[in-house]
Amino acid sequence: MSTAWMYLLVAGLLEVGWALGLKWSDGFDVRSKPVATILTVIALLASFALLAQASKSLPIGTAYAVWTGIGAAGAAVGGMLLLGEPVAPLRVLFLTMLVVAIVGLKFSAGDA
């Protein structure tokens, strides 16, 4: 896996972290949740920085789609596992389809 794809993978995982952090920080409530808010902002900035690095070598459409896909799927799974959100069969089916699409974009991007 190229460096750009590694950056993109980590950026996507950090997106999961900051998306879940939005919930844990009560929407950036720095007075009642300062640590969660600060960690969420750090994850957000690092995620954007790594996406920017990855987009230097990867097509922006592919990079952005993969980044948001990892974030969306990861946040949904994290919500189910950590926050008690519903685990419905159709939800799992569509998340699976999203992951298949992300993998398909990776393999259709060529050697980038």
Side-chain angles (χ1 to χ4, degrees):
M1 184 181 294
S2 74
T3 303
W5 282 102
M6 290 299 293
Y7 285 154
L8 191 57
L9 176 62
V10 174
L13 294 173
L14 286 167
E15 185 185 6
V16 173
W18 69 256
L20 293 172
L22 288 173
K23 185 76 167 178
W24 287 322
S25 70
D26 286 334
F28 296 130
D29 187 353
V30 73
R31 285 183 273 197
S32 69
K33 305 278 184 144
V35 173
T37 298
I38 290 167
L39 291 175
T40 300
V41 170
I42 290 169
L44 189 148
L45 293 173
S47 180
F48 276 109
L50 289 171
L51 172 62
Q53 287 300 311
S55 69
K56 288 180 179 180
S57 302
L58 300 173
I60 190 60
T62 300
Y64 186 73
V66 169
W67 179 70
T68 57
I70 292 170
V77 171
M80 288 185 273
L81 295 176
L82 302 172
L83 303 173
E85 294 178 1
V87 182
L90 279 177
R91 190 173 191 203
V92 173
L93 170 68
F94 290 121
L95 285 170
T96 302
M97 291 169 58
L98 180 58
V99 171
V100 168
I102 293 166
V103 171
L105 284 170
K106 167 32 177 142
F107 287 111
S108 68
D111 292 334

